[in-house]
């Protein structure tokens, strides 16, 4: 499952569809820790993104790369 779980905004903050992000992670059988490692971010960052859907452009790019 790749692709369109991003709800891009014009500003520097990005919003993700948290349900699609969780589904991606679970379909890949990744823990939050494993996804964080793949994205080179902290586990706390993945937890926050999954809870709020808000992220930086850099984290968005990292999650997108991991999903391909």
């Amino acid at each position: 499952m790749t692709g369109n779980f991003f709800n891009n905004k014009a500003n520097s903050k990005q919003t993700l569809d948290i349900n699609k992000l969780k589904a991606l992670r679970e379909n890949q059988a990744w823990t939050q820790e494993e996804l964080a490692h793949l994205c080179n971010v902290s586990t706390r960052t993945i937890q926050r993104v999954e809870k709020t859907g808000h992220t930086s452009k850099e984290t968005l790019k990292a999650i997108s790369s991991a999903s391909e």
Side-chain angles (χ1 to χ4, degrees):
M1 174 181 188
T2 61
N4 199 7
F5 52 91
F6 309 113
N7 298 320
N8 294 327
K9 303 281 183 179
N11 60 22
S12 64
K13 294 282 183 174
Q14 303 296 305
T15 304
L16 291 140
D17 182 322
I18 60 176
N19 294 320
K20 289 183 181 178
L21 176 59
K22 287 179 184 179
L24 164 75
R25 184 174 59 77
E26 291 169 355
N27 286 338
Q28 295 294 329
W30 292 332
T31 64
Q32 288 178 330
E33 292 81 8
E34 290 168 326
L35 179 57
H37 179 75
L38 289 169
C39 295
N40 199 30
V41 299
S42 70
T43 301
R44 180 68 189 112
T45 295
I46 298 300
Q47 291 169 339
R48 184 174 50 253
V49 172
E50 285 191 357
K51 182 176 181 179
T52 68
H54 301 292
T55 187
S56 68
K57 286 183 181 180
E58 292 79 15
T59 301
L60 180 69
K61 288 178 186 178
I63 292 171
S64 178
S65 292
S67 70
E68 295 178 350

